[in-house]
Structures are given as structure tokens and as C-alpha cells.
Amino acid sequence: MFSTAQRIQEYSGFMTSVVLIMLAVISATSLIHEHMMVVPSASISIGQVDVHRRPRTGYNYRNQEYSSMYFDLEADLRPVFNWNTKQIFVYLTASYPGRPFANKVVLWDRIIQNKEDAKFSLHNESSAYEIYDVGGKFNERTATVRLEWNHQPFVGFLTYNKSPESTKFAFPSLE
């Protein structure tokens, strides 16, 4: 009645449907776990903030203020990990007002691939990236520093979260 090719096609179609339903369930349970998890803890303190002026590279060679800083960071991101976690991309951001838009820059980042490395403590760590303002000067603005992370699952959607704890600092003036 049915040929072998039809039976193989029907079986593979059924198995594909089963696998897709399993992947959808895995993704949904991972999202539910993430919304029910305990909020990870993070403690940030800013140490020395350096601002210096040097010529910008590229098309415009006017002087530009650049800033780098030292910070202490203690974080425990173990609650973020579950059975569907491939890795977590963790980054420290600084947000400060600017003209015409607000600025948000990354100061430091790290990729965490296992739960054992998700609890870390950094002391007197230097920012990985220098930051600058598009207006050329920081003008003693106040910045808010916060720990954020991107949860990357094996199956499902990427999610972005941030720690409720933050700290503020003011850029020093050069003039």
C-alpha cells in the first residue's frame, strides 16, 4: 500500500515535528526560569578616574578628551546559569548625559562559559576601553556605572538584563 520512500518521509516529518516541539518547550522553560530567578548581586566602586586630552585620529584632528578609570567589582551571576545556558556576556557600562543624545559606553567586558567562573571579584581593575564624548569634553558630567549581561542559551532567545545596583562618579575637569 505505502512504498518505503513514503514511510521514511512520513517518519522523518513526524520526528522533525517532535524535535521542533521539544526545542520550543526548552526555550519557553528557559525564559520562565530567567524571569523567576533571584536577581544576581553586584557591587561596583569607582577608584581613580583619569581624563587626558590628545588629538583625535581620523578625519578631524582637533583635541579630544579621553577617559579611563580603575574600579572594583564583585559579582555573583551563578543564578543566571541554568541547563540551557551556553555562555553569558558580562559588561560594565557607563551612562552619562550628552548633547544631543545621552551616551552609554562599555568600560569592561568578559565572557563566562561555566557556572564556576560566574562568581568573580576584581580589585583595582583598569577599564578595558578608553571612552570619549562626541562633543570633545566631558565637562565634569556625572556618569552612572552598572553591570549588565547578555544570556546566550543553547536554544531560544538572547536576553539582556542589568543589575539593579549602580554607582555614580563625576569626570574630573582638565581646566
Side-chain angles (χ1 to χ4, degrees):
M1 182 162 175
F2 292 108
S3 69
T4 305
Q6 287 175 324
R7 289 181 182 174
I8 291 172
Q9 183 179 9
E10 186 174 327
Y11 178 73
S12 64
F14 174 74
M15 291 310 294
T16 302
S17 299
V18 168
V19 168
L20 289 175
I21 289 170
M22 282 179 32
L23 293 176
V25 168
I26 289 170
S27 178
T29 57
S30 181
L31 286 173
I32 290 169
H33 175 269
E34 188 162 332
H35 289 291
M36 294 177 60
M37 74 177 174
V38 176
V39 177
S41 63
S43 171
I44 307 164
S45 63
I46 302 298
Q48 178 183 355
V49 178
D50 299 323
V51 174
H52 54 279
R53 186 174 287 141
R54 68 173 188 254
R56 188 188 316 189
T57 59
Y59 67 94
N60 186 352
Y61 295 102
R62 69 184 173 129
N63 282 341
Q64 175 80 39
E65 286 185 3
Y66 291 86
S67 177
S68 59
M69 64 194 63
Y70 292 92
F71 61 91
D72 295 337
L73 172 64
E74 292 187 25
D76 185 6
L77 296 174
R78 290 179 294 183
V80 177
F81 272 85
N82 61 26
W83 51 275
N84 191 26
T85 301
K86 179 179 180 183
Q87 64 187 14
I88 297 174
F89 183 66
V90 182
Y91 46 99
L92 195 63
T93 61
S95 304
Y96 58 95
R99 275 183 282 158
F101 305 107
N103 298 299
K104 186 174 185 180
V105 294
V106 174
L107 303 173
W108 169 89
D109 58 7
R110 178 181 283 178
I111 295 174
I112 301 172
Q113 295 182 333
N114 55 36
K115 193 171 186 175
E116 293 79 33
D117 296 336
K119 184 175 182 178
F120 53 91
S121 179
L122 306 172
H123 299 287
N124 205 22
E125 181 82 11
S126 174
S127 59
Y129 310 106
E130 275 191 325
I131 59 175
Y132 68 91
D133 185 65
V134 294
K137 294 183 179 182
F138 289 111
N139 296 330
E140 299 178 355
R141 294 185 204 152
T142 300
T144 302
V145 178
R146 185 180 306 264
L147 185 70
E148 301 183 22
W149 62 89
N150 174 356
H151 178 253
Q152 300 173 0
F154 286 108
V155 176
F157 301 105
L158 298 176
T159 55
Y160 297 88
N161 292 301
K162 57 187 169 185
S163 174
E165 294 93 7
S166 64
T167 187
K168 294 183 183 282
F169 73 94
F171 289 103
S173 175
L174 284 179
E175 300 170 279

